Amino acid sequence: MARFGSGWAWLVVTDGKLSILSTANQDNPLMEGKFPILGVDVWEHAYYLKYQNRRADYLAAWWNVINWMEVNKRLAQVKQPTLA
């Protein structure tokens, strides 16, 4: 909610630790060497048609569509990278 204007909120893994990161516009955690395991688009185009200027309502509804099994899978991949 604190992101002014367009951007993203991310759940990232850095050095094996989870943290929350906010990026502006098209920026992403990979640009900072961090691995994203979950992201939410807070640009107006993501929610304006249904939620108008109610970003908080959009984010409250967004929690209901997260695929936590996929997020957990991504977290496991970071903690145990596969050998090439």
Side-chain angles (χ1 to χ4, degrees):
M1 283 297 303
R3 166 60 51 196
F4 177 78
S6 301
W8 294 79
W10 305 92
L11 181 61
V12 299
V13 177
T14 308
D15 299 325
K17 296 182 181 177
L18 287 173
S19 60
I20 297 171
L21 175 70
S22 176
T23 60
N25 303 316
Q26 72 281 352
D27 295 349
N28 67 70
L30 297 172
M31 298 167 75
E32 299 178 19
K34 298 175 175 154
F35 187 83
I37 61 171
L38 176 67
V40 60
D41 183 351
V42 294
W43 290 54
E44 284 185 350
H45 68 245
Y47 60 87
Y48 193 81
L49 288 177
K50 184 169 184 178
Y51 294 96
Q52 302 297 306
N53 291 320
R54 299 181 325 271
R55 183 186 279 181
D57 292 347
Y58 159 71
L59 291 171
W62 173 80
W63 286 105
N64 295 314
V65 298
I66 297 171
N67 182 340
W68 288 110
M69 292 189 68
E70 181 63 26
V71 173
N72 191 48
K73 180 177 147 186
R74 292 176 185 200
L75 178 59
Q77 287 174 336
V78 174
K79 292 195 173 205
Q80 300 232 343
T82 57
L83 298 175

